[in-house]
Amino acid sequence: MKHILNFTLLLFLCSSVSFAQPKQGKRDRIKALKIAFISDELALTPDEAEKFWPIYNAFEDKQFELQHEKMKSYMNRIETDMGKLSENEANQLLAQMEKTEDELYQLRKKFNQNLKLVLSAQKIVKLHKAEEQFRKDLLKQFRSSRPGPKN
């Protein structure tokens, strides 16, 4: 659930960073910053980078699809139908959300297994730390660029 919250905040950030750029442009800019950050943090060799990035990009695409498309549809349904949902419908929606969470977990597990074929365990741990740090830095930057009182 923490990953969904983080991703939801990241999506919100992506959609709020600049109103002048189209959505895809913002997403591409953030992705480029993330690639540079991860590359720097992991200090990948050229051989590692050649094998790592296709695995990472495929994982990111599938994760985005699961989190954005499926979870967005669940959240839209909750917002529009919350007062109208029967207990049975709410249970079905909850089961669908849990299934998506499980799919995300299995995706992450497979991702780690695939990474073990090209990176050391130490670099995989560094990757997870770098991803978390990138999210924190991005949120911090977003918060500092917002007008109004600072928290």
Side-chain angles (χ1 to χ4, degrees):
M1 199 61 168
K2 179 182 173 189
H3 294 290
I4 288 177
L5 179 60
N6 285 341
F7 187 76
T8 303
L9 290 172
L10 183 61
L11 281 178
F12 175 74
L13 175 64
C14 292
S15 64
S16 303
V17 170
S18 167
F19 295 104
Q21 292 180 318
K23 264 187 181 182
Q24 188 61 42
K26 289 180 274 185
R27 193 174 299 128
D28 290 344
R29 183 170 176 251
I30 290 172
K31 187 173 183 176
L33 291 170
K34 187 176 184 181
I35 288 169
F37 186 83
I38 288 172
S39 294
D40 186 52
E41 291 293 310
L42 295 184
L44 298 172
T45 67
D47 186 51
E48 287 173 331
E50 183 180 336
K51 295 173 184 172
F52 169 77
W53 287 111
I55 295 169
Y56 188 83
N57 291 332
F59 166 75
E60 284 276 294
D61 291 346
K62 183 64 176 171
Q63 179 178 261
F64 180 81
E65 176 189 322
L66 285 171
Q67 290 177 321
H68 183 71
E69 301 301 326
K70 287 188 177 184
M71 294 308 285
K72 184 178 177 182
S73 71
Y74 301 151
M75 295 317 239
N76 285 341
R77 183 154 181 223
I78 289 170
E79 288 174 13
T80 55
D81 296 341
M82 193 57 203
K84 302 172 190 173
L85 283 178
S86 69
E87 187 65 18
N88 187 41
E89 291 170 325
N91 276 321
Q92 289 174 352
L93 185 59
L94 185 58
Q96 290 173 337
M97 293 169 75
E98 289 170 348
K99 182 179 180 215
T100 299
E101 284 292 322
D102 187 52
E103 288 176 45
L104 286 165
Y105 171 74
Q106 294 301 325
L107 179 66
R108 174 63 75 172
K109 196 172 172 179
K110 184 178 178 185
F111 173 61
N112 283 330
Q113 291 169 348
N114 290 338
L115 284 181
K116 287 178 183 179
L117 302 174
V118 297
L119 296 179
S120 69
Q122 289 177 331
K123 283 195 177 183
I124 295 170
V125 170
K126 280 183 181 181
L127 169 65
H128 295 298
K129 182 180 179 213
E131 288 176 316
E132 186 63 30
Q133 189 60 50
F134 181 79
R135 278 190 288 274
K136 285 180 183 179
D137 292 350
L138 200 58
L139 284 171
K140 185 178 177 182
Q141 182 180 357
F142 171 71
R143 287 181 182 136
S144 69
S145 68
R146 280 192 334 205
K150 306 290 185 226
N151 292 348

